[in-house]
Amino acid sequence: MALITGGAGFVGCNLGAALARDGWRVRVYDDLSRRGVERNLAWLRTRHPGAVDLVRADLASGEGLEQALAGVDAVYHFAAQTAVTTSLERPELDFRVNLQGTFELLEALRRRPDPPALVFASTNKVYGNLADLPLEEIGDRYVSIGSPGIDESWPLVLHTPYGCSKGAAEQYVLDYARHFGLRATVLRMSCMYGPHQCGTEDQGWIAHFLRQALLGAPINIFGNGKQVRDILYVDDLVDAQRAALAHMDVLAGRSWNLGGGHACAVSLLEVLALIGEVMGSAPRVAFHPPRPGDQRFYVSDHGAFSAVTGWRPQVKPAEGIRRLHDWLREEPTRSAAEAPAHTVTGGT
């Protein structure tokens, strides 16, 4: 059995479906605090009847963790507050959900006689805003000068309460692997997108862009739109999560960068152009000043993870955006009113 914290969120429900297809029983541990995730859970249960059960609880309280871990062979830890902007408004939430919640999980694992393996979802934000990274503007994007991508040798620079809470949590995971022998690894993930993502302006931005475009509403761009991210389609992400568990003996005790890499690197302006192509008309756009904590450029170097696991992303941005567009057209389009006051989800 696999336990997925935040399992009703975007990443959690997609991974849960893949594990159930592989023959796993799946236990979702989620407080369902984000509006919209109930749909993900209902979809997962309908798709795999009898293979999925729910523990509805708050991870930071540790409620029901001992019982939830009974019979579990693997744990995927996705439950988190995931928006930088929310962390600046409510830093106590990040501390409680991201750090306290991770600590409670680690302690519950440590107390077990034979602890299951743990895959922890961290974030590229542990590298800070990379303000010193030399960049130049070429066309519709920023280009890094002399750096093929961000690898694990880059120093941790914990900016914003979100970066601090996730960075501290991953260090706890690594230290529990070091001192208590937990079979645990950390994946520092870049921008993810795909079906079942309840995207907002602050988190899950590609889904949010597409949803706004489908509604005919303006898309807000903070900065000049030349900011670059390597984006990773959820099917590739799920394959990487499964590969992490399969290669735990080698990956345990270390952090690994995970993202689309250069082959899937796009600027915000380029994403807007791809949305225009798939929809047949350009979306409405409004430009605003940059936000605190935003990175102008981030592209993962996932070479170390790929060398160990053989994993590489397969879905290019144009194809992934088309797939997500088609899924959103089939789903009832969620309005901006559904966006939560805070974001606690299985996606980062």
Side-chain angles (χ1 to χ4, degrees):
M1 177 182 291
L3 176 70
I4 307 176
T5 74
F10 158 55
V11 178
C13 77
N14 277 283
L15 176 64
L19 293 176
R21 286 196 304 270
D22 289 345
W24 288 75
R25 286 192 55 80
V26 175
R27 181 167 292 155
V28 171
Y29 189 106
D30 201 305
D31 65 2
L32 305 182
S33 63
R34 182 170 186 172
R35 288 191 294 272
V37 297
E38 295 92 344
R39 298 183 191 183
N40 292 344
L41 181 61
W43 168 83
L44 181 58
R45 283 173 149 172
T46 300
R47 193 176 183 89
H48 300 284
V52 179
D53 61 71
L54 169 68
V55 176
R56 185 170 185 174
D58 174 13
L59 185 64
S61 71
E63 180 185 356
L65 262 179
E66 296 289 346
Q67 295 83 358
L69 286 168
V72 167
D73 303 296
V75 177
Y76 288 93
H77 178 26
F78 299 138
Q81 191 299 108
T82 57
V84 170
T85 49
T86 300
S87 80
L88 293 168
E89 296 165 0
R90 296 186 59 189
E92 80 287 352
L93 185 66
D94 279 63
F95 178 86
R96 185 174 186 278
V97 176
N98 296 352
L99 187 52
Q100 181 69 32
T102 300
F103 177 77
E104 294 291 342
L105 176 60
L106 289 170
E107 278 291 278
L109 288 170
R110 183 173 71 88
R111 289 192 291 265
R112 297 198 66 79
D114 186 18
L118 170 66
V119 179
F120 174 58
S122 187
T123 172
N124 65 58
K125 296 300 189 294
V126 299
Y127 297 115
N129 62 12
L130 299 170
D132 296 331
L133 186 68
L135 303 173
E136 60 180 341
E137 293 183 33
I138 298 179
D140 285 340
R141 64 160 61 193
Y142 288 113
V143 175
S144 173
I145 301 172
S147 173
I150 308 303
D151 65 17
E152 295 84 357
S153 68
W154 282 76
L156 300 187
V157 182
L158 305 184
H159 285 189
T160 75
Y162 175 64
C164 290
S165 63
K166 292 295 284 189
E170 75 162 59
Q171 295 307 302
Y172 265 89
V173 171
L174 296 177
D175 202 60
Y176 270 58
R178 181 182 304 116
H179 284 110
F180 300 119
L182 292 188
R183 297 172 62 240
T185 194
V186 172
L187 302 182
R188 293 173 178 161
M189 302 196 294
S190 192
C191 296
M192 304 158 292
Y193 69 109
H196 304 284
Q197 188 171 35
C198 305
T200 70
E201 194 167 72
D202 299 319
Q203 187 270 338
W205 59 276
I206 295 179
H208 173 71
F209 279 15
L210 275 164
R211 191 167 285 120
Q212 290 292 97
L214 286 166
L215 290 169
I219 297 170
N220 292 320
I221 299 293
F222 297 90
N224 60 12
K226 297 185 178 183
Q227 303 97 305
V228 169
R229 298 289 184 272
D230 63 321
I231 62 177
L232 186 62
Y233 191 70
V234 69
D235 289 358
D236 287 331
L237 172 61
V238 164
D239 287 345
Q241 297 285 349
R242 292 151 79 195
L245 183 64
H247 293 83
M248 181 61 71
D249 289 345
V250 179
L251 299 180
R254 286 183 55 186
S255 295
W256 308 82
N257 287 355
L258 180 64
H262 275 287
C264 297
V266 288
S267 72
L268 274 60
L269 293 177
E270 290 165 347
V271 169
L272 292 173
L274 289 171
I275 291 173
E277 289 177 13
V278 77
M279 292 191 63
S281 61
R284 297 169 58 196
V285 180
F287 288 89
H288 304 275
R291 298 178 298 187
D294 280 352
Q295 298 162 325
R296 290 191 301 165
F297 181 94
Y298 185 86
V299 174
S300 298
D301 181 345
H302 55 72
F305 182 81
S306 295
V308 170
T309 64
W311 172 89
R312 282 175 178 77
Q314 303 298 315
V315 181
K316 297 297 189 290
E319 173 63 16
I321 287 171
R322 183 193 63 77
R323 291 186 194 180
L324 179 53
H325 167 269
D326 292 347
W327 180 82
L328 287 168
R329 287 192 63 183
E330 297 298 320
E331 288 292 302
T333 302
R334 300 180 177 105
S335 69
E338 277 195 288
H342 64 273
T343 304
V344 183
T345 182
T348 64

